[in-house]
Amino acid sequence: MGSNEGSGGERKQTVVVPEIKFTKLFINGEFVDAASGKTFETRDPRTGDVLAHVAEADKADVDLAVAAAREAFEHGPWPRMSGYARGRAMSKLADLMEQHIEELALLDGADAGKLLLLGKIIDIPSAVQMLRYYAGAADKIHGDSLRVSGKYQGYTLKEPIGVVGVIIPWNFPSLMFFLKISPALAAGCTVVVKPAEQTPLSALYYADLARQAGIPDGVINVVPGFGPTAGAAIASHMDVDSVAFTGSGEVGRLVMEASARSNLKTVSLELGGKSPLIIFDDADVDMAVELSRLAIFFNKGEVCVAGSRVYVQEGIYDEFVKKAVVAAQNWKVGDPFDVATNMGPQVDKFQFERVLKYIDLGKSEGATLLTGGKPAGDRGYYIEPTIFADVKEDMKIAQDEIFGPVMSLMKFKTVDEAIEKANCTKYGLAAGIITKDLNIANRVSRSVRAGTVWVNCYFAFDPEAPFGGYKMSGFGRDQGMMAIDKYMQVKSVITAVPDSPWY
């Protein structure tokens, strides 16, 4: 590890920079330069300084990676070994991840501005848990016996779909990597992964660990690059059988279009949200304030399920607002490697400026800025925790996914009004409900059109719980056993049985 001298506010201490071992493409079990020889910069959002120059994949490199994945699928051992053996290899990779938690958390912290402590106790362990879950599932994939009419017997086979393209975002580099590839590996597929250009470093480290774990060459390929080149090449490739994408709705449309224009590969999309957190009069106000703060300011608001629209019933609204402002002001912004920090920098200059533009837009639209709203410090991409009140449903800050630490506060009177307001969005990824009334909790959780609803909690994820969206938050589910189905084909086999003693 090295260090750079930081500056600005509380960030004047030495900035820890992790050792970066892997910056090349990983194709067919080897680290290689891009065919073009080009590289791109990945920057440290704490300072804006360059962390590393990473090989930049484009169509030629994606072609090589897909060819390697196809060869590994058609002729390699991975889909032909038992599910138990695949699970053993995946478990070995999980073991290696646990042995390298410190390095992995450092990479994601420096590349994405994520809190180092939470990387070590949440991000990397959650990725390990995801991988272990699907390692355990690998030998539990089976079809069904069919009760077909006539003199026949029937059954279904579940077969791996083939080569899977994976395009992941930058907000949770490690967890997103394993959220997508784990069920695909369990199914017996091979993968070509394009990590976000902002955060490619941990994905390359995982590729090396996979090689050490004995996962065969060509099964996992990692091609850092940009969406319009590497991402587009994956989405439009005639020899990719399925694409799993997490990111913006705009790019999600392009992925679907590329599928339609190429080989009609299957597509699964997780496209973000504008999640409501609904707080009723009977809620414990202090608990509600803590949950609402966590829901929007955790990971600097760079969370697809961030509780960015907070609806508070009128009976406790004034008390909630006062306490929420104090809570936001006590949410410490600083170096993510400092254990006392609650919130690090936005991932890059583009996102930093985008969030600030939305804050300016909120002011111009007539919302009341209660706290925050400015850059924090004079170096890096830090923004103060921000709360707006007097927000209307038709304002941009209430409709658009900002992906930053910006809370929109709104008041409601009745349960019906809360449901109507919560559903007043093109998205439907998640929602939160805080109440002591079981009837209200049940009614609202069944009425809100969202793929995940948390009652008296938030961010309660588990590999067992399917995750995905309604409406323009996408389709397809990650997590749970049903995630494996995205990466499988179902084949019906019907055999004549003319002399059976029974039918």
Side-chain angles (χ1 to χ4, degrees), residues 378-420:
D378 57 8
R379 190 182 189 202
Y381 308 131
Y382 298 86
I383 295 175
E384 296 173 344
T386 300
I387 300 179
F388 280 103
D390 304 313
V391 179
K392 309 300 181 186
E393 266 68 31
D394 60 352
M395 291 181 178
K396 287 285 189 180
I397 60 170
Q399 288 296 317
D400 293 355
E401 184 179 37
I402 299 173
F403 229 59
V406 181
M407 177 192 294
S408 292
L409 265 176
M410 290 162 277
K411 187 191 301 185
F412 71 92
K413 292 183 179 180
T414 66
V415 175
D416 285 338
E417 182 186 0
I419 293 169
E420 181 181 356

Short mmCIF file of all heavy atoms in Angstrom, two decimals, residues 378-420:
data_model
loop_
_atom_site.label_atom_id
_atom_site.label_comp_id
_atom_site.label_asym_id
_atom_site.label_seq_id
_atom_site.Cartn_x
_atom_site.Cartn_y
_atom_site.Cartn_z
N ASP A 378 -12.88 20.70 -0.08
CA ASP A 378 -12.42 21.32 -1.32
C ASP A 378 -11.66 20.35 -2.21
O ASP A 378 -11.04 20.76 -3.18
CB ASP A 378 -11.55 22.54 -1.00
CG ASP A 378 -10.35 22.20 -0.12
OD1 ASP A 378 -10.13 20.99 0.12
OD2 ASP A 378 -9.65 23.12 0.33
N ARG A 379 -11.69 19.08 -1.89
CA ARG A 379 -11.02 18.08 -2.72
C ARG A 379 -11.82 16.79 -2.71
O ARG A 379 -12.39 16.42 -1.68
CB ARG A 379 -9.61 17.82 -2.19
CG ARG A 379 -8.76 16.98 -3.15
CD ARG A 379 -7.40 16.70 -2.56
NE ARG A 379 -6.50 16.09 -3.53
CZ ARG A 379 -5.44 15.38 -3.21
NH1 ARG A 379 -5.14 15.19 -1.93
NH2 ARG A 379 -4.66 14.87 -4.14
N GLY A 380 -11.87 16.13 -3.85
CA GLY A 380 -12.66 14.91 -3.93
C GLY A 380 -14.12 15.22 -4.22
O GLY A 380 -14.53 16.37 -4.37
N TYR A 381 -14.94 14.17 -4.27
CA TYR A 381 -16.31 14.27 -4.75
C TYR A 381 -17.32 14.10 -3.61
O TYR A 381 -18.26 13.31 -3.70
CB TYR A 381 -16.55 13.25 -5.85
CG TYR A 381 -15.51 13.33 -6.96
CD1 TYR A 381 -14.88 12.18 -7.43
CD2 TYR A 381 -15.16 14.55 -7.53
CE1 TYR A 381 -13.93 12.25 -8.45
CE2 TYR A 381 -14.21 14.64 -8.54
CZ TYR A 381 -13.60 13.48 -8.98
OH TYR A 381 -12.65 13.56 -9.98
N TYR A 382 -17.12 14.84 -2.55
CA TYR A 382 -17.96 14.74 -1.35
C TYR A 382 -19.12 15.73 -1.40
O TYR A 382 -18.97 16.88 -1.82
CB TYR A 382 -17.12 15.04 -0.10
CG TYR A 382 -15.98 14.08 0.14
CD1 TYR A 382 -14.74 14.28 -0.47
CD2 TYR A 382 -16.13 12.99 0.98
CE1 TYR A 382 -13.68 13.41 -0.25
CE2 TYR A 382 -15.08 12.12 1.21
CZ TYR A 382 -13.85 12.33 0.59
OH TYR A 382 -12.82 11.46 0.82
N ILE A 383 -20.31 15.27 -0.96
CA ILE A 383 -21.51 16.11 -0.91
C ILE A 383 -22.15 15.98 0.46
O ILE A 383 -22.22 14.86 1.02
CB ILE A 383 -22.51 15.73 -2.02
CG1 ILE A 383 -21.92 16.00 -3.40
CG2 ILE A 383 -23.83 16.49 -1.86
CD1 ILE A 383 -22.80 15.55 -4.54
N GLU A 384 -22.65 17.07 1.00
CA GLU A 384 -23.32 17.03 2.29
C GLU A 384 -24.64 16.24 2.21
O GLU A 384 -25.34 16.31 1.19
CB GLU A 384 -23.64 18.45 2.77
CG GLU A 384 -22.42 19.32 3.03
CD GLU A 384 -22.81 20.75 3.34
OE1 GLU A 384 -23.96 21.14 3.04
OE2 GLU A 384 -21.94 21.48 3.87
N PRO A 385 -25.01 15.52 3.25
CA PRO A 385 -26.34 14.90 3.31
C PRO A 385 -27.40 16.00 3.16
O PRO A 385 -27.34 17.03 3.85
CB PRO A 385 -26.39 14.26 4.69
CG PRO A 385 -24.96 14.04 5.06
CD PRO A 385 -24.20 15.18 4.44
N THR A 386 -28.33 15.80 2.27
CA THR A 386 -29.26 16.86 1.86
C THR A 386 -30.70 16.43 2.07
O THR A 386 -31.07 15.30 1.71
CB THR A 386 -29.02 17.21 0.38
OG1 THR A 386 -27.66 17.67 0.22
CG2 THR A 386 -29.97 18.28 -0.11
N ILE A 387 -31.52 17.34 2.63
CA ILE A 387 -32.94 17.07 2.82
C ILE A 387 -33.75 18.23 2.26
O ILE A 387 -33.50 19.40 2.58
CB ILE A 387 -33.30 16.88 4.31
CG1 ILE A 387 -32.53 15.70 4.91
CG2 ILE A 387 -34.81 16.66 4.47
CD1 ILE A 387 -32.81 15.48 6.39
N PHE A 388 -34.73 17.88 1.42
CA PHE A 388 -35.71 18.85 0.92
C PHE A 388 -37.07 18.56 1.55
O PHE A 388 -37.48 17.41 1.68
CB PHE A 388 -35.86 18.74 -0.60
CG PHE A 388 -34.79 19.43 -1.38
CD1 PHE A 388 -33.76 18.70 -1.98
CD2 PHE A 388 -34.81 20.80 -1.55
CE1 PHE A 388 -32.78 19.32 -2.73
CE2 PHE A 388 -33.81 21.44 -2.30
CZ PHE A 388 -32.80 20.70 -2.89
N ALA A 389 -37.80 19.62 1.92
CA ALA A 389 -39.20 19.53 2.32
C ALA A 389 -40.05 20.25 1.28
O ALA A 389 -39.52 20.85 0.33
CB ALA A 389 -39.40 20.13 3.71
N ASP A 390 -41.37 20.18 1.49
CA ASP A 390 -42.32 20.83 0.57
C ASP A 390 -42.11 20.34 -0.87
O ASP A 390 -42.20 21.11 -1.83
CB ASP A 390 -42.19 22.36 0.62
CG ASP A 390 -42.37 22.91 2.03
OD1 ASP A 390 -43.32 22.49 2.70
OD2 ASP A 390 -41.53 23.73 2.46
N VAL A 391 -41.85 19.06 -0.99
CA VAL A 391 -41.63 18.45 -2.30
C VAL A 391 -42.97 17.99 -2.87
O VAL A 391 -43.79 17.40 -2.16
CB VAL A 391 -40.65 17.26 -2.21
CG1 VAL A 391 -40.44 16.63 -3.57
CG2 VAL A 391 -39.32 17.72 -1.61
N LYS A 392 -43.21 18.27 -4.13
CA LYS A 392 -44.43 17.83 -4.83
C LYS A 392 -44.10 16.64 -5.73
O LYS A 392 -42.98 16.50 -6.23
CB LYS A 392 -45.01 18.97 -5.67
CG LYS A 392 -45.21 20.29 -4.92
CD LYS A 392 -46.14 20.15 -3.75
CE LYS A 392 -46.35 21.49 -3.04
NZ LYS A 392 -47.15 21.35 -1.79
N GLU A 393 -45.13 15.80 -5.94
CA GLU A 393 -44.91 14.57 -6.71
C GLU A 393 -44.40 14.81 -8.13
O GLU A 393 -43.72 13.96 -8.69
CB GLU A 393 -46.21 13.74 -6.76
CG GLU A 393 -46.33 12.68 -5.68
CD GLU A 393 -46.49 13.28 -4.30
OE1 GLU A 393 -47.07 14.38 -4.21
OE2 GLU A 393 -46.01 12.68 -3.32
N ASP A 394 -44.74 15.95 -8.71
CA ASP A 394 -44.34 16.19 -10.09
C ASP A 394 -42.97 16.84 -10.23
O ASP A 394 -42.50 17.10 -11.34
CB ASP A 394 -45.39 17.04 -10.81
CG ASP A 394 -45.58 18.41 -10.16
OD1 ASP A 394 -45.02 18.65 -9.08
OD2 ASP A 394 -46.31 19.24 -10.75
N MET A 395 -42.28 17.10 -9.10
CA MET A 395 -40.94 17.68 -9.18
C MET A 395 -39.94 16.63 -9.64
O MET A 395 -40.07 15.44 -9.36
CB MET A 395 -40.52 18.22 -7.81
CG MET A 395 -41.29 19.45 -7.35
SD MET A 395 -40.68 20.04 -5.73
CE MET A 395 -41.71 21.48 -5.50
N LYS A 396 -38.92 17.09 -10.34
CA LYS A 396 -37.88 16.18 -10.83
C LYS A 396 -37.19 15.44 -9.68
O LYS A 396 -36.85 14.26 -9.81
CB LYS A 396 -36.84 16.96 -11.64
CG LYS A 396 -37.31 17.43 -13.00
CD LYS A 396 -37.35 16.26 -13.98
CE LYS A 396 -37.61 16.73 -15.39
NZ LYS A 396 -37.65 15.60 -16.34
N ILE A 397 -36.99 16.12 -8.55
CA ILE A 397 -36.29 15.46 -7.44
C ILE A 397 -37.15 14.38 -6.80
O ILE A 397 -36.63 13.53 -6.06
CB ILE A 397 -35.82 16.47 -6.37
CG1 ILE A 397 -37.01 17.24 -5.77
CG2 ILE A 397 -34.76 17.39 -6.93
CD1 ILE A 397 -36.63 18.06 -4.55
N ALA A 398 -38.47 14.38 -7.10
CA ALA A 398 -39.35 13.33 -6.59
C ALA A 398 -39.58 12.23 -7.61
O ALA A 398 -40.09 11.16 -7.26
CB ALA A 398 -40.70 13.92 -6.18
N GLN A 399 -39.21 12.45 -8.85
CA GLN A 399 -39.48 11.48 -9.91
C GLN A 399 -38.22 10.81 -10.45
O GLN A 399 -38.25 9.63 -10.82
CB GLN A 399 -40.21 12.17 -11.07
CG GLN A 399 -41.66 12.52 -10.76
CD GLN A 399 -42.52 11.30 -10.50
OE1 GLN A 399 -42.42 10.30 -11.21
NE2 GLN A 399 -43.36 11.36 -9.48
N ASP A 400 -37.11 11.54 -10.53
CA ASP A 400 -35.89 11.00 -11.14
C ASP A 400 -35.01 10.31 -10.10
O ASP A 400 -34.94 10.75 -8.95
CB ASP A 400 -35.08 12.11 -11.81
CG ASP A 400 -35.79 12.70 -13.01
OD1 ASP A 400 -36.88 12.19 -13.37
OD2 ASP A 400 -35.27 13.67 -13.58
N GLU A 401 -34.34 9.26 -10.53
CA GLU A 401 -33.38 8.60 -9.64
C GLU A 401 -32.11 9.45 -9.62
O GLU A 401 -31.36 9.48 -10.59
CB GLU A 401 -33.08 7.19 -10.13
CG GLU A 401 -32.16 6.44 -9.17
CD GLU A 401 -31.86 5.03 -9.61
OE1 GLU A 401 -31.71 4.80 -10.83
OE2 GLU A 401 -31.78 4.15 -8.75
N ILE A 402 -31.85 10.12 -8.50
CA ILE A 402 -30.70 11.01 -8.38
C ILE A 402 -29.43 10.22 -8.11
O ILE A 402 -28.36 10.56 -8.58
CB ILE A 402 -30.95 12.04 -7.26
CG1 ILE A 402 -32.19 12.89 -7.60
CG2 ILE A 402 -29.72 12.93 -7.06
CD1 ILE A 402 -32.62 13.82 -6.49
N PHE A 403 -29.55 9.14 -7.34
CA PHE A 403 -28.41 8.30 -6.98
C PHE A 403 -27.37 9.08 -6.17
O PHE A 403 -26.17 9.05 -6.44
CB PHE A 403 -27.76 7.67 -8.22
CG PHE A 403 -27.54 6.18 -8.09
CD1 PHE A 403 -28.60 5.33 -7.85
CD2 PHE A 403 -26.27 5.64 -8.19
CE1 PHE A 403 -28.40 3.95 -7.72
CE2 PHE A 403 -26.06 4.27 -8.06
CZ PHE A 403 -27.12 3.43 -7.83
N GLY A 404 -27.87 9.80 -5.18
CA GLY A 404 -27.01 10.58 -4.31
C GLY A 404 -27.71 10.83 -2.99
O GLY A 404 -28.87 10.45 -2.80
N PRO A 405 -27.05 11.51 -2.06
CA PRO A 405 -27.58 11.69 -0.70
C PRO A 405 -28.60 12.82 -0.61
O PRO A 405 -28.38 13.84 0.03
CB PRO A 405 -26.32 12.00 0.11
CG PRO A 405 -25.44 12.72 -0.86
CD PRO A 405 -25.69 12.08 -2.19
N VAL A 406 -29.74 12.62 -1.30
CA VAL A 406 -30.77 13.66 -1.36
C VAL A 406 -32.12 13.05 -0.97
O VAL A 406 -32.66 12.20 -1.69
CB VAL A 406 -30.86 14.28 -2.77
CG1 VAL A 406 -31.93 15.38 -2.79
CG2 VAL A 406 -29.51 14.82 -3.21
N MET A 407 -32.67 13.48 0.17
CA MET A 407 -33.96 13.01 0.66
C MET A 407 -35.05 14.02 0.30
O MET A 407 -34.88 15.22 0.51
CB MET A 407 -33.92 12.84 2.18
CG MET A 407 -35.26 12.41 2.81
SD MET A 407 -35.28 12.53 4.64
CE MET A 407 -34.06 11.29 5.09
N SER A 408 -36.15 13.51 -0.23
CA SER A 408 -37.33 14.34 -0.50
C SER A 408 -38.40 14.00 0.53
O SER A 408 -38.89 12.86 0.57
CB SER A 408 -37.86 14.09 -1.92
OG SER A 408 -36.96 14.56 -2.89
N LEU A 409 -38.77 14.98 1.35
CA LEU A 409 -39.75 14.78 2.42
C LEU A 409 -41.12 15.26 1.98
O LEU A 409 -41.27 16.38 1.46
CB LEU A 409 -39.33 15.57 3.66
CG LEU A 409 -38.54 14.86 4.74
CD1 LEU A 409 -38.13 15.84 5.83
CD2 LEU A 409 -39.33 13.71 5.33
N MET A 410 -42.15 14.42 2.24
CA MET A 410 -43.51 14.77 1.89
C MET A 410 -44.47 14.32 2.99
O MET A 410 -44.19 13.36 3.72
CB MET A 410 -43.89 14.14 0.54
CG MET A 410 -43.17 14.79 -0.64
SD MET A 410 -43.17 13.79 -2.15
CE MET A 410 -41.78 12.71 -1.84
N LYS A 411 -45.60 15.00 3.10
CA LYS A 411 -46.58 14.74 4.15
C LYS A 411 -47.81 14.07 3.56
O LYS A 411 -48.17 14.32 2.41
CB LYS A 411 -46.97 16.07 4.81
CG LYS A 411 -47.87 15.95 6.04
CD LYS A 411 -48.42 17.31 6.46
CE LYS A 411 -47.32 18.30 6.80
NZ LYS A 411 -47.88 19.58 7.32
N PHE A 412 -48.46 13.19 4.35
CA PHE A 412 -49.73 12.60 3.90
C PHE A 412 -50.69 12.49 5.09
O PHE A 412 -50.27 12.56 6.25
CB PHE A 412 -49.50 11.23 3.25
CG PHE A 412 -49.11 10.13 4.21
CD1 PHE A 412 -50.08 9.32 4.80
CD2 PHE A 412 -47.78 9.90 4.53
CE1 PHE A 412 -49.72 8.30 5.68
CE2 PHE A 412 -47.41 8.88 5.41
CZ PHE A 412 -48.39 8.08 5.98
N LYS A 413 -51.98 12.31 4.76
CA LYS A 413 -53.01 12.22 5.80
C LYS A 413 -53.49 10.79 6.02
O LYS A 413 -53.53 10.30 7.14
CB LYS A 413 -54.20 13.10 5.43
CG LYS A 413 -53.93 14.59 5.47
CD LYS A 413 -55.20 15.38 5.16
CE LYS A 413 -54.94 16.89 5.23
NZ LYS A 413 -56.17 17.68 4.95
N THR A 414 -53.90 10.11 4.94
CA THR A 414 -54.57 8.81 5.07
C THR A 414 -53.75 7.69 4.45
O THR A 414 -52.83 7.93 3.67
CB THR A 414 -55.94 8.85 4.38
OG1 THR A 414 -55.73 8.99 2.96
CG2 THR A 414 -56.78 10.01 4.90
N VAL A 415 -54.14 6.46 4.78
CA VAL A 415 -53.48 5.29 4.20
C VAL A 415 -53.66 5.28 2.69
O VAL A 415 -52.71 5.02 1.94
CB VAL A 415 -54.02 3.99 4.83
CG1 VAL A 415 -53.43 2.77 4.12
CG2 VAL A 415 -53.73 3.94 6.31
N ASP A 416 -54.86 5.58 2.23
CA ASP A 416 -55.11 5.59 0.78
C ASP A 416 -54.22 6.61 0.08
O ASP A 416 -53.69 6.34 -1.01
CB ASP A 416 -56.58 5.93 0.51
CG ASP A 416 -57.51 4.76 0.82
OD1 ASP A 416 -57.02 3.62 0.83
OD2 ASP A 416 -58.71 5.00 1.04
N GLU A 417 -54.06 7.77 0.69
CA GLU A 417 -53.21 8.80 0.10
C GLU A 417 -51.75 8.33 0.04
O GLU A 417 -51.05 8.55 -0.95
CB GLU A 417 -53.31 10.10 0.90
CG GLU A 417 -52.50 11.24 0.33
CD GLU A 417 -52.50 12.47 1.21
OE1 GLU A 417 -53.12 12.45 2.29
OE2 GLU A 417 -51.83 13.46 0.84
N ALA A 418 -51.31 7.68 1.10
CA ALA A 418 -49.93 7.18 1.13
C ALA A 418 -49.68 6.17 0.02
O ALA A 418 -48.65 6.21 -0.66
CB ALA A 418 -49.63 6.55 2.49
N ILE A 419 -50.64 5.27 -0.18
CA ILE A 419 -50.51 4.26 -1.23
C ILE A 419 -50.46 4.92 -2.60
O ILE A 419 -49.62 4.60 -3.45
CB ILE A 419 -51.65 3.23 -1.15
CG1 ILE A 419 -51.52 2.40 0.13
CG2 ILE A 419 -51.67 2.33 -2.38
CD1 ILE A 419 -52.75 1.55 0.43
N GLU A 420 -51.36 5.88 -2.81
CA GLU A 420 -51.40 6.58 -4.10
C GLU A 420 -50.10 7.32 -4.38
O GLU A 420 -49.55 7.24 -5.48
CB GLU A 420 -52.57 7.56 -4.12
CG GLU A 420 -52.73 8.30 -5.43
CD GLU A 420 -53.88 9.29 -5.42
OE1 GLU A 420 -54.62 9.34 -4.42
OE2 GLU A 420 -54.04 10.02 -6.42
#
